[in-house]
Amino acid sequence: MLDLFSIFSKGGIVLWCFQSTSDIFSPSVNALIRNVILQERSGNNTFNHNALSLQYKLDNEFELVFVVAYQRILQLSYVDKFLNDIHLEFRDKYKNELQGGKHNMDFDFKTTFDKVLKQCESWAKSQAKIPKQMRTFEDSQKSKKTVASMIERKGEEKSKKSVKIVENKSIPNGKEEESPDGEDDVIAANRAKLAQKLAAKSKKDTKKSPKSPKATQERVKKPRVWELGGGSRDLPSLDFSSDKDSAPSNVGLPTDTQLLGQMTGAIRDLEVESDSSSDEEIEQTHSSPKKSTGMFSIFKGLVGSKALSEETMRPVLDKMRDHLIGKNVAADIANKLCDSVATKLDGKVLGTFDSVARTVKATLTEALVQILSPKRRVDILRDCLHAKQQGRPYVMAFCGVNGVGKSTNLAKICFWLIENNLSVLIAACDTFRAGAVEQLRTHVRRLDALHAGAVHLYEKGYGKDAAGIAMEAIKYAADSKIDVVLIDTAGRMQDNEPLMRALAKLIKVNEPDLVLFVGEALVGNEAVDQLVKFNQALADHSSSSNPHVIDGIVLTKFDTIDDKVGAAISMTYITGQPIVFVGTGQTYTDLKALNANAVVHALMK
Ligand code: GDP
């Protein structure tokens, strides 16, 4: 018996839902979304959470998720068939509406659901009566392996063995089903991989072989100085999130004064790792196809003396689409990018690989510039001066969920402003999280050491009304002729209605010039979901006919995502709001502006 069946969009809108009990399933479904769907894990479509088994099917065309939940102790043999059948029925019935993106309509699906479920249940009963037969070779897993996948390579031996241990542990009775622990193992393995990746990034300058026992010994004994430096640089880290009013120790590190003067003028663009690297890759792909790993290699097949047609390009464009989706680019944006490349190449004769690759690169850059060009331009320095001429402070409010880097990036933005001769008042309106005010106090002290008297803190401790404190701070800044007010707000989950209502009130009452949403690039498309919901909640709860929603985005921890830049594109694409700042590390200078070239470069890797 099924406990729950739900159809929802990847953006989180429930299209249709059936529940046979009054239990609350949202924690299990949320866990599935967080641990499987958002991480875009492929493979097994079963996920276990507490006593429940959840099985899901994705519809990538319409970005839908079909989920079934049932008690884990039940052995329901028809769930795979049911998911396939119900998916087809739903698509067939509502194809036109789905194409039109109508997710909020009333889907009258109960009769079809009952019919399909009944059919599948009787199918399962009839299957149970058939005596079990041995699997043929064609049915077995071995027949599905390609020859290439069976070749054992030297370096892979070890990892295969460790996988085996996991398998042995998780299948004590030889069954082919995944055990509940399997999920945790995979998550743990993924986390370990991420940690390894980050550590490797920080240590990339170290040339010692990790295999050498001497190197390992040294690593264990030596204090990990690089951690204090925020990545591989020797600058003091800004992580004061656990700071309880104590200045961070920077013994042995260069002083902050090295940072002085580095942030004057407009925010610098994100650096493309090496300007010539894409060209180098084109060369490499051209001269030695085996070495190429980036997107260019996909286009090798298009070199020829015939004019390119839709048909010849189709397989290549499909691969390009998969490549982009692999970088977290949402399906509709990937389609758009592929379409623009197809239009540019259609009918052309591209005799050399160089010409194909350069055309693709130029087209992608052009398309991305279009997507990343926001509805409106945000020029904070100019607007601050304009407000100053009007005799009032320029006010910016920062919002987002907890831990995304609001306070840290607020401090970086503050540093940029004071580097540009503006005075700043930070309003400590996170009156909720213990340590939030102290964290800001530490930042103010350090910033004051760099530009004496340029930064002030307005704080009223904890538990008070944040909207009221912001209002007092703005008044204080106006009276004291301070140029800019930066309002730090408490982190809140996008679905927490009372807290979102409070944020809407803070914004409505204080009318900041700029409301910035802070999201971390690290969580990929989850950040897009947060942004969309913050925007929606601000509109819903503002009780104004012209609500003030999000004006711009601060995308933090960009330094940790490698080349998975898709979420950044989706954020601007969906809301039309600009990514005003990109946080790229933990020092005051790690603040950049997003530019299409850097994004194209990452996408092409
Ligand atoms: P808040 O709860 O949103 O105010 O988050 P915090 O400002 O306390 O930051 C949470 C953590 O993220 C801290 O450890 C910061 O040092 C770290 N952090 C913030 N921005 C960045 C960034 O751009 N890159 C990296 N690598 N870490 C960051």
Side-chain angles (χ1 to χ4, degrees), residues 237-241 401-409 412 433 439 488 555-560 582-586 590:
S237 163
L238 292 188
D239 185 3
F240 308 147
S241 44
V401 310
N402 255 326
V404 292
K406 264 187 314 307
S407 318
T408 307
N409 287 279
K412 291 185 208 171
R433 181 173 60 105
Q439 188 181 349
D488 183 31
L555 192 58
T556 65
K557 309 188 190 177
F558 206 75
D559 51 315
T560 64
V582 178
T584 55
Q586 303 192 52
D590 287 326

PDB file of all heavy atoms in Angstrom, residues 237-241 401-409 412 433 439 488 555-560 582-586 590, ligand 1:
ATOM      1  N   SER A 237      42.083  35.373   7.794  1.00  0.00           N
ATOM      2  CA  SER A 237      40.749  34.899   7.440  1.00  0.00           C
ATOM      3  C   SER A 237      39.676  35.752   8.091  1.00  0.00           C
ATOM      4  O   SER A 237      39.858  36.322   9.135  1.00  0.00           O
ATOM      5  CB  SER A 237      40.622  33.461   7.926  1.00  0.00           C
ATOM      6  OG  SER A 237      39.290  33.107   7.970  1.00  0.00           O
ATOM      7  N   LEU A 238      38.521  35.811   7.410  1.00  0.00           N
ATOM      8  CA  LEU A 238      37.413  36.615   7.936  1.00  0.00           C
ATOM      9  C   LEU A 238      36.412  35.780   8.697  1.00  0.00           C
ATOM     10  O   LEU A 238      35.336  36.244   8.998  1.00  0.00           O
ATOM     11  CB  LEU A 238      36.662  37.273   6.772  1.00  0.00           C
ATOM     12  CG  LEU A 238      37.374  38.339   5.990  1.00  0.00           C
ATOM     13  CD1 LEU A 238      36.408  38.978   5.023  1.00  0.00           C
ATOM     14  CD2 LEU A 238      37.890  39.399   6.932  1.00  0.00           C
ATOM     15  N   ASP A 239      36.706  34.530   8.932  1.00  0.00           N
ATOM     16  CA  ASP A 239      35.721  33.689   9.582  1.00  0.00           C
ATOM     17  C   ASP A 239      35.653  33.986  11.080  1.00  0.00           C
ATOM     18  O   ASP A 239      36.320  33.362  11.879  1.00  0.00           O
ATOM     19  CB  ASP A 239      36.071  32.212   9.335  1.00  0.00           C
ATOM     20  CG  ASP A 239      34.994  31.321   9.888  1.00  0.00           C
ATOM     21  OD1 ASP A 239      33.985  31.862  10.391  1.00  0.00           O
ATOM     22  OD2 ASP A 239      35.145  30.101   9.817  1.00  0.00           O
ATOM     23  N   PHE A 240      34.824  34.948  11.438  1.00  0.00           N
ATOM     24  CA  PHE A 240      34.629  35.267  12.858  1.00  0.00           C
ATOM     25  C   PHE A 240      33.264  34.765  13.306  1.00  0.00           C
ATOM     26  O   PHE A 240      32.701  35.251  14.263  1.00  0.00           O
ATOM     27  CB  PHE A 240      34.668  36.791  13.094  1.00  0.00           C
ATOM     28  CG  PHE A 240      35.882  37.470  12.522  1.00  0.00           C
ATOM     29  CD1 PHE A 240      35.791  38.760  12.026  1.00  0.00           C
ATOM     30  CD2 PHE A 240      37.101  36.828  12.484  1.00  0.00           C
ATOM     31  CE1 PHE A 240      36.893  39.392  11.493  1.00  0.00           C
ATOM     32  CE2 PHE A 240      38.214  37.462  11.953  1.00  0.00           C
ATOM     33  CZ  PHE A 240      38.111  38.745  11.450  1.00  0.00           C
ATOM     34  N   SER A 241      32.719  33.816  12.575  1.00  0.00           N
ATOM     35  CA  SER A 241      31.342  33.422  12.871  1.00  0.00           C
ATOM     36  C   SER A 241      31.200  32.847  14.264  1.00  0.00           C
ATOM     37  O   SER A 241      30.144  32.897  14.858  1.00  0.00           O
ATOM     38  CB  SER A 241      30.834  32.447  11.823  1.00  0.00           C
ATOM     39  OG  SER A 241      31.795  31.493  11.546  1.00  0.00           O
ATOM     40  N   VAL A 401      19.491  32.871   3.959  1.00  0.00           N
ATOM     41  CA  VAL A 401      19.370  31.860   5.009  1.00  0.00           C
ATOM     42  C   VAL A 401      20.645  31.874   5.856  1.00  0.00           C
ATOM     43  O   VAL A 401      21.613  32.555   5.528  1.00  0.00           O
ATOM     44  CB  VAL A 401      19.062  30.439   4.458  1.00  0.00           C
ATOM     45  CG1 VAL A 401      17.902  30.449   3.495  1.00  0.00           C
ATOM     46  CG2 VAL A 401      20.257  29.831   3.796  1.00  0.00           C
ATOM     47  N   ASN A 402      20.620  31.125   6.960  1.00  0.00           N
ATOM     48  CA  ASN A 402      21.759  31.121   7.883  1.00  0.00           C
ATOM     49  C   ASN A 402      23.020  30.520   7.285  1.00  0.00           C
ATOM     50  O   ASN A 402      22.930  29.546   6.549  1.00  0.00           O
ATOM     51  CB  ASN A 402      21.388  30.272   9.111  1.00  0.00           C
ATOM     52  CG  ASN A 402      21.086  31.145  10.284  1.00  0.00           C
ATOM     53  OD1 ASN A 402      21.686  32.207  10.435  1.00  0.00           O
ATOM     54  ND2 ASN A 402      20.147  30.718  11.099  1.00  0.00           N
ATOM     55  N   GLY A 403      24.140  31.101   7.608  1.00  0.00           N
ATOM     56  CA  GLY A 403      25.420  30.481   7.262  1.00  0.00           C
ATOM     57  C   GLY A 403      25.870  30.678   5.827  1.00  0.00           C
ATOM     58  O   GLY A 403      26.880  30.133   5.411  1.00  0.00           O
ATOM     59  N   VAL A 404      25.130  31.458   5.047  1.00  0.00           N
ATOM     60  CA  VAL A 404      25.522  31.616   3.635  1.00  0.00           C
ATOM     61  C   VAL A 404      26.661  32.616   3.460  1.00  0.00           C
ATOM     62  O   VAL A 404      27.270  32.702   2.398  1.00  0.00           O
ATOM     63  CB  VAL A 404      24.325  32.054   2.756  1.00  0.00           C
ATOM     64  CG1 VAL A 404      23.303  30.949   2.663  1.00  0.00           C
ATOM     65  CG2 VAL A 404      23.688  33.327   3.273  1.00  0.00           C
ATOM     66  N   GLY A 405      26.952  33.383   4.509  1.00  0.00           N
ATOM     67  CA  GLY A 405      28.042  34.358   4.421  1.00  0.00           C
ATOM     68  C   GLY A 405      27.544  35.792   4.402  1.00  0.00           C
ATOM     69  O   GLY A 405      28.238  36.672   3.870  1.00  0.00           O
ATOM     70  N   LYS A 406      26.379  36.029   4.980  1.00  0.00           N
ATOM     71  CA  LYS A 406      25.822  37.399   4.996  1.00  0.00           C
ATOM     72  C   LYS A 406      26.765  38.370   5.684  1.00  0.00           C
ATOM     73  O   LYS A 406      27.166  39.374   5.107  1.00  0.00           O
ATOM     74  CB  LYS A 406      24.495  37.418   5.756  1.00  0.00           C
ATOM     75  CG  LYS A 406      23.288  37.309   4.881  1.00  0.00           C
ATOM     76  CD  LYS A 406      22.009  37.501   5.650  1.00  0.00           C
ATOM     77  CE  LYS A 406      21.911  36.759   6.952  1.00  0.00           C
ATOM     78  NZ  LYS A 406      22.162  35.344   6.938  1.00  0.00           N
ATOM     79  N   SER A 407      27.125  38.057   6.955  1.00  0.00           N
ATOM     80  CA  SER A 407      27.926  39.004   7.730  1.00  0.00           C
ATOM     81  C   SER A 407      29.307  39.190   7.109  1.00  0.00           C
ATOM     82  O   SER A 407      29.818  40.304   7.014  1.00  0.00           O
ATOM     83  CB  SER A 407      28.084  38.513   9.166  1.00  0.00           C
ATOM     84  OG  SER A 407      26.872  38.000   9.608  1.00  0.00           O
ATOM     85  N   THR A 408      29.899  38.080   6.691  1.00  0.00           N
ATOM     86  CA  THR A 408      31.249  38.152   6.129  1.00  0.00           C
ATOM     87  C   THR A 408      31.270  39.021   4.878  1.00  0.00           C
ATOM     88  O   THR A 408      32.135  39.881   4.701  1.00  0.00           O
ATOM     89  CB  THR A 408      31.744  36.730   5.781  1.00  0.00           C
ATOM     90  OG1 THR A 408      31.596  35.923   6.943  1.00  0.00           O
ATOM     91  CG2 THR A 408      33.174  36.724   5.329  1.00  0.00           C
ATOM     92  N   ASN A 409      30.288  38.813   4.005  1.00  0.00           N
ATOM     93  CA  ASN A 409      30.292  39.575   2.752  1.00  0.00           C
ATOM     94  C   ASN A 409      29.822  41.005   2.954  1.00  0.00           C
ATOM     95  O   ASN A 409      30.244  41.905   2.237  1.00  0.00           O
ATOM     96  CB  ASN A 409      29.526  38.817   1.670  1.00  0.00           C
ATOM     97  CG  ASN A 409      30.334  37.627   1.186  1.00  0.00           C
ATOM     98  OD1 ASN A 409      31.229  37.775   0.367  1.00  0.00           O
ATOM     99  ND2 ASN A 409      30.083  36.470   1.764  1.00  0.00           N
ATOM    100  N   LYS A 412      32.925  42.637   3.776  1.00  0.00           N
ATOM    101  CA  LYS A 412      33.755  42.869   2.586  1.00  0.00           C
ATOM    102  C   LYS A 412      33.235  44.086   1.823  1.00  0.00           C
ATOM    103  O   LYS A 412      34.008  44.908   1.329  1.00  0.00           O
ATOM    104  CB  LYS A 412      33.698  41.649   1.653  1.00  0.00           C
ATOM    105  CG  LYS A 412      34.381  40.405   2.166  1.00  0.00           C
ATOM    106  CD  LYS A 412      34.318  39.367   1.047  1.00  0.00           C
ATOM    107  CE  LYS A 412      34.321  37.956   1.546  1.00  0.00           C
ATOM    108  NZ  LYS A 412      34.042  36.981   0.488  1.00  0.00           N
ATOM    109  N   ARG A 433      20.541  35.295  16.371  1.00  0.00           N
ATOM    110  CA  ARG A 433      21.607  34.288  16.475  1.00  0.00           C
ATOM    111  C   ARG A 433      22.664  34.744  17.471  1.00  0.00           C
ATOM    112  O   ARG A 433      23.232  35.831  17.328  1.00  0.00           O
ATOM    113  CB  ARG A 433      22.250  34.051  15.096  1.00  0.00           C
ATOM    114  CG  ARG A 433      23.359  33.006  15.093  1.00  0.00           C
ATOM    115  CD  ARG A 433      23.816  32.718  13.685  1.00  0.00           C
ATOM    116  NE  ARG A 433      24.333  33.913  13.027  1.00  0.00           N
ATOM    117  CZ  ARG A 433      25.636  34.137  12.831  1.00  0.00           C
ATOM    118  NH1 ARG A 433      26.530  33.266  13.239  1.00  0.00           N
ATOM    119  NH2 ARG A 433      26.027  35.222  12.203  1.00  0.00           N
ATOM    120  N   GLN A 439      30.234  39.113  16.189  1.00  0.00           N
ATOM    121  CA  GLN A 439      30.925  38.883  14.908  1.00  0.00           C
ATOM    122  C   GLN A 439      31.084  40.218  14.164  1.00  0.00           C
ATOM    123  O   GLN A 439      32.159  40.534  13.643  1.00  0.00           O
ATOM    124  CB  GLN A 439      30.088  37.901  14.079  1.00  0.00           C
ATOM    125  CG  GLN A 439      30.767  37.417  12.819  1.00  0.00           C
ATOM    126  CD  GLN A 439      29.862  36.458  12.026  1.00  0.00           C
ATOM    127  OE1 GLN A 439      28.831  36.014  12.522  1.00  0.00           O
ATOM    128  NE2 GLN A 439      30.261  36.149  10.813  1.00  0.00           N
ATOM    129  N   ASP A 488      22.384  44.238   8.598  1.00  0.00           N
ATOM    130  CA  ASP A 488      22.555  42.783   8.658  1.00  0.00           C
ATOM    131  C   ASP A 488      21.286  42.196   9.270  1.00  0.00           C
ATOM    132  O   ASP A 488      20.888  42.592  10.362  1.00  0.00           O
ATOM    133  CB  ASP A 488      23.768  42.445   9.540  1.00  0.00           C
ATOM    134  CG  ASP A 488      24.046  40.950   9.572  1.00  0.00           C
ATOM    135  OD1 ASP A 488      23.768  40.278   8.567  1.00  0.00           O
ATOM    136  OD2 ASP A 488      24.553  40.456  10.605  1.00  0.00           O
ATOM    137  N   LEU A 555      26.512  36.489  -4.466  1.00  0.00           N
ATOM    138  CA  LEU A 555      26.726  35.038  -4.582  1.00  0.00           C
ATOM    139  C   LEU A 555      28.048  34.704  -3.889  1.00  0.00           C
ATOM    140  O   LEU A 555      29.112  35.074  -4.379  1.00  0.00           O
ATOM    141  CB  LEU A 555      26.759  34.654  -6.061  1.00  0.00           C
ATOM    142  CG  LEU A 555      26.683  33.171  -6.364  1.00  0.00           C
ATOM    143  CD1 LEU A 555      25.429  32.555  -5.789  1.00  0.00           C
ATOM    144  CD2 LEU A 555      26.729  32.925  -7.867  1.00  0.00           C
ATOM    145  N   THR A 556      27.948  34.023  -2.747  1.00  0.00           N
ATOM    146  CA  THR A 556      29.147  33.789  -1.928  1.00  0.00           C
ATOM    147  C   THR A 556      29.758  32.421  -2.215  1.00  0.00           C
ATOM    148  O   THR A 556      29.147  31.581  -2.866  1.00  0.00           O
ATOM    149  CB  THR A 556      28.797  33.850  -0.429  1.00  0.00           C
ATOM    150  OG1 THR A 556      27.923  32.754  -0.154  1.00  0.00           O
ATOM    151  CG2 THR A 556      28.109  35.146  -0.081  1.00  0.00           C
ATOM    152  N   LYS A 557      30.938  32.235  -1.694  1.00  0.00           N
ATOM    153  CA  LYS A 557      31.667  30.950  -1.743  1.00  0.00           C
ATOM    154  C   LYS A 557      31.861  30.463  -3.186  1.00  0.00           C
ATOM    155  O   LYS A 557      31.846  29.269  -3.470  1.00  0.00           O
ATOM    156  CB  LYS A 557      30.948  29.894  -0.890  1.00  0.00           C
ATOM    157  CG  LYS A 557      30.662  30.418   0.515  1.00  0.00           C
ATOM    158  CD  LYS A 557      30.141  29.404   1.473  1.00  0.00           C
ATOM    159  CE  LYS A 557      29.672  30.102   2.748  1.00  0.00           C
ATOM    160  NZ  LYS A 557      29.089  29.248   3.728  1.00  0.00           N
ATOM    161  N   PHE A 558      31.988  31.407  -4.081  1.00  0.00           N
ATOM    162  CA  PHE A 558      32.203  31.081  -5.489  1.00  0.00           C
ATOM    163  C   PHE A 558      33.527  30.350  -5.661  1.00  0.00           C
ATOM    164  O   PHE A 558      33.722  29.621  -6.633  1.00  0.00           O
ATOM    165  CB  PHE A 558      32.202  32.380  -6.304  1.00  0.00           C
ATOM    166  CG  PHE A 558      31.793  32.197  -7.732  1.00  0.00           C
ATOM    167  CD1 PHE A 558      30.466  31.981  -8.064  1.00  0.00           C
ATOM    168  CD2 PHE A 558      32.721  32.247  -8.758  1.00  0.00           C
ATOM    169  CE1 PHE A 558      30.075  31.816  -9.384  1.00  0.00           C
ATOM    170  CE2 PHE A 558      32.340  32.080 -10.077  1.00  0.00           C
ATOM    171  CZ  PHE A 558      31.015  31.861 -10.396  1.00  0.00           C
ATOM    172  N   ASP A 559      34.427  30.571  -4.714  1.00  0.00           N
ATOM    173  CA  ASP A 559      35.733  29.916  -4.788  1.00  0.00           C
ATOM    174  C   ASP A 559      35.640  28.416  -4.523  1.00  0.00           C
ATOM    175  O   ASP A 559      36.587  27.688  -4.754  1.00  0.00           O
ATOM    176  CB  ASP A 559      36.702  30.562  -3.780  1.00  0.00           C
ATOM    177  CG  ASP A 559      36.096  30.649  -2.378  1.00  0.00           C
ATOM    178  OD1 ASP A 559      34.913  31.057  -2.269  1.00  0.00           O
ATOM    179  OD2 ASP A 559      36.790  30.320  -1.408  1.00  0.00           O
ATOM    180  N   THR A 560      34.499  27.928  -4.047  1.00  0.00           N
ATOM    181  CA  THR A 560      34.427  26.512  -3.677  1.00  0.00           C
ATOM    182  C   THR A 560      33.698  25.662  -4.701  1.00  0.00           C
ATOM    183  O   THR A 560      33.532  24.469  -4.498  1.00  0.00           O
ATOM    184  CB  THR A 560      33.678  26.347  -2.330  1.00  0.00           C
ATOM    185  OG1 THR A 560      32.323  26.792  -2.539  1.00  0.00           O
ATOM    186  CG2 THR A 560      34.295  27.143  -1.227  1.00  0.00           C
ATOM    187  N   VAL A 582      30.265  38.882  -6.091  1.00  0.00           N
ATOM    188  CA  VAL A 582      30.577  37.469  -5.964  1.00  0.00           C
ATOM    189  C   VAL A 582      31.641  37.342  -4.879  1.00  0.00           C
ATOM    190  O   VAL A 582      32.686  37.999  -4.954  1.00  0.00           O
ATOM    191  CB  VAL A 582      31.123  36.915  -7.307  1.00  0.00           C
ATOM    192  CG1 VAL A 582      31.493  35.463  -7.164  1.00  0.00           C
ATOM    193  CG2 VAL A 582      30.101  37.090  -8.420  1.00  0.00           C
ATOM    194  N   GLY A 583      31.357  36.543  -3.861  1.00  0.00           N
ATOM    195  CA  GLY A 583      32.337  36.310  -2.788  1.00  0.00           C
ATOM    196  C   GLY A 583      33.256  35.193  -3.202  1.00  0.00           C
ATOM    197  O   GLY A 583      32.812  34.116  -3.590  1.00  0.00           O
ATOM    198  N   THR A 584      34.563  35.450  -3.133  1.00  0.00           N
ATOM    199  CA  THR A 584      35.496  34.443  -3.651  1.00  0.00           C
ATOM    200  C   THR A 584      36.514  33.996  -2.610  1.00  0.00           C
ATOM    201  O   THR A 584      37.568  33.488  -2.966  1.00  0.00           O
ATOM    202  CB  THR A 584      36.260  35.001  -4.869  1.00  0.00           C
ATOM    203  OG1 THR A 584      36.880  36.234  -4.456  1.00  0.00           O
ATOM    204  CG2 THR A 584      35.349  35.267  -6.032  1.00  0.00           C
ATOM    205  N   GLY A 585      36.217  34.201  -1.344  1.00  0.00           N
ATOM    206  CA  GLY A 585      37.167  33.752  -0.332  1.00  0.00           C
ATOM    207  C   GLY A 585      36.912  34.443   0.985  1.00  0.00           C
ATOM    208  O   GLY A 585      35.870  35.073   1.178  1.00  0.00           O
ATOM    209  N   GLN A 586      37.876  34.335   1.879  1.00  0.00           N
ATOM    210  CA  GLN A 586      37.636  34.816   3.231  1.00  0.00           C
ATOM    211  C   GLN A 586      38.519  35.991   3.640  1.00  0.00           C
ATOM    212  O   GLN A 586      38.839  36.152   4.812  1.00  0.00           O
ATOM    213  CB  GLN A 586      37.789  33.657   4.206  1.00  0.00           C
ATOM    214  CG  GLN A 586      36.855  32.521   3.852  1.00  0.00           C
ATOM    215  CD  GLN A 586      36.742  31.476   4.939  1.00  0.00           C
ATOM    216  OE1 GLN A 586      36.476  31.801   6.082  1.00  0.00           O
ATOM    217  NE2 GLN A 586      36.979  30.233   4.595  1.00  0.00           N
ATOM    218  N   ASP A 590      38.314  39.624  -1.159  1.00  0.00           N
ATOM    219  CA  ASP A 590      37.736  38.547  -1.970  1.00  0.00           C
ATOM    220  C   ASP A 590      36.295  38.853  -2.373  1.00  0.00           C
ATOM    221  O   ASP A 590      35.352  38.138  -2.010  1.00  0.00           O
ATOM    222  CB  ASP A 590      37.808  37.217  -1.212  1.00  0.00           C
ATOM    223  CG  ASP A 590      39.216  36.680  -1.167  1.00  0.00           C
ATOM    224  OD1 ASP A 590      39.948  36.886  -2.143  1.00  0.00           O
ATOM    225  OD2 ASP A 590      39.592  36.083  -0.148  1.00  0.00           O
TER     226      ASP A 590
HETATM  227  P1  GDP B   1      25.936  34.271   7.950  1.00  0.00           P
HETATM  228  O1  GDP B   1      25.372  33.332   8.977  1.00  0.00           O
HETATM  229  O2  GDP B   1      25.140  34.243   6.693  1.00  0.00           O
HETATM  230  O3  GDP B   1      26.165  35.637   8.464  1.00  0.00           O
HETATM  231  O4  GDP B   1      27.348  33.644   7.528  1.00  0.00           O
HETATM  232  P2  GDP B   1      28.820  34.083   7.963  1.00  0.00           P
HETATM  233  O5  GDP B   1      29.154  35.416   7.425  1.00  0.00           O
HETATM  234  O6  GDP B   1      28.983  33.842   9.407  1.00  0.00           O
HETATM  235  O7  GDP B   1      29.688  33.029   7.114  1.00  0.00           O
HETATM  236  C1  GDP B   1      29.578  31.627   7.256  1.00  0.00           C
HETATM  237  C2  GDP B   1      30.885  30.978   6.825  1.00  0.00           C
HETATM  238  O8  GDP B   1      31.093  31.145   5.438  1.00  0.00           O
HETATM  239  C3  GDP B   1      32.102  31.582   7.516  1.00  0.00           C
HETATM  240  O9  GDP B   1      32.954  30.514   7.828  1.00  0.00           O
HETATM  241  C4  GDP B   1      32.726  32.443   6.426  1.00  0.00           C
HETATM  242  O10 GDP B   1      34.107  32.601   6.599  1.00  0.00           O
HETATM  243  C5  GDP B   1      32.411  31.645   5.190  1.00  0.00           C
HETATM  244  N1  GDP B   1      32.364  32.452   3.973  1.00  0.00           N
HETATM  245  C6  GDP B   1      31.645  33.568   3.734  1.00  0.00           C
HETATM  246  N2  GDP B   1      31.843  34.016   2.475  1.00  0.00           N
HETATM  247  C7  GDP B   1      32.715  33.176   1.880  1.00  0.00           C
HETATM  248  C8  GDP B   1      33.305  33.093   0.550  1.00  0.00           C
HETATM  249  O11 GDP B   1      33.057  33.905  -0.354  1.00  0.00           O
HETATM  250  N3  GDP B   1      34.155  32.058   0.329  1.00  0.00           N
HETATM  251  C9  GDP B   1      34.434  31.131   1.291  1.00  0.00           C
HETATM  252  N4  GDP B   1      35.266  30.145   0.978  1.00  0.00           N
HETATM  253  N5  GDP B   1      33.890  31.159   2.528  1.00  0.00           N
HETATM  254  C10 GDP B   1      33.048  32.173   2.829  1.00  0.00           C
END
